[in-house]
Amino acid sequence: ISENRFQILQTGYDPRYQDLAIDFKRNILEVLSRINCKKLVFLDACHSGGAKDGYGALSKAVVDLAKTQPGVSTLSSCSSTEKSYEDASWGNGAFTKALLEAFADSECTDVNGRFQADTNRDGIIRLGELYEFLRRRVPELVKQTIPNAPTSQTPFMPENQLDINLPIYFIEKK
């Protein structure tokens, strides 16, 4: 947060390159506001979710900014006190890997058994299904790949933004 503006910084941020930062409100929300539809913003960044303890100012800014834009919801890769983990074998973060698995209708396994994003098998992934898939898959990916991770990672979405029946992805049958 800089001058009360939430900014997205590049990996390995260096203040000398401040001009490369993305202003969340101006560069994302205001641009998206021109499109007349519901919007879902995925944030794959450390401390990106949960307007509560720890990095609450950061996450509160994200939630507050989304509230100012009708139809915008944010789904964060982790809570305000957690890190977002990456691994070279994934080619991105655990959250992004899990999103791609959800949209590919991949079957995953954890201690509770097998699961997929499209739980009711109707060919449509709804926001509630995606959220539950991510909350189950991301911690498992981190546990399997980074067993000594100093924190867990559990995706977060403010409850007032979770429209569980909102269809967000159609699975093309092969």
Side-chain angles (χ1 to χ4, degrees), residues 6-163:
F6 174 65
Q7 296 190 348
I8 300 172
L9 308 175
Q10 70 277 12
T11 299
Y13 173 72
D14 185 326
R16 293 179 294 174
Y17 305 109
Q18 177 65 28
D19 294 342
L20 297 177
I22 296 171
D23 182 288
F24 187 70
K25 184 175 186 208
R26 186 181 69 239
N27 299 123
I28 297 177
L29 293 180
E30 289 178 4
V31 171
L32 289 176
S33 72
R34 299 180 204 142
I35 304 168
N36 187 19
C37 66
K38 292 188 178 203
K39 295 109 184 154
L40 180 58
V41 177
F42 297 102
L43 294 174
D44 193 352
C46 294
H47 315 294
S48 59
K52 53 185 181 187
D53 312 332
Y55 291 82
L58 166 66
S59 50
K60 184 174 181 345
V62 172
V63 172
D64 289 348
L65 282 170
K67 284 182 188 175
T68 66
Q69 303 289 324
V72 174
S73 298
T74 56
L75 178 51
S76 301
S77 62
C78 60
S79 75
S80 64
T81 59
E82 296 175 323
K83 295 183 178 185
S84 285
Y85 293 98
E86 297 177 357
D87 189 82
S89 68
W90 302 332
N92 47 48
F95 181 72
T96 300
K97 177 173 176 44
L99 276 171
L100 294 172
E101 289 175 343
F103 295 148
D105 200 29
S106 298
E107 185 176 86
C108 301
T109 306
D110 65 9
V111 295
N112 295 313
R114 296 179 181 179
F115 62 101
Q116 291 174 263
D118 183 17
T119 56
N120 65 3
R121 310 307 300 147
D122 67 353
I124 299 169
I125 298 176
R126 298 180 188 286
L127 185 53
E129 289 175 314
L130 177 64
Y131 187 54
E132 290 308 314
F133 176 87
L134 294 171
R135 289 183 59 85
R136 193 170 168 184
R137 181 63 176 147
V138 170
E140 184 65 23
L141 273 172
V142 171
K143 188 172 82 176
Q144 288 174 352
T145 311
I146 309 166
N148 296 322
T151 66
S152 59
Q153 180 179 345
T154 307
F156 172 79
M157 180 172 218
E159 198 171 303
N160 64 338
Q161 294 182 20
L162 184 57
D163 180 355

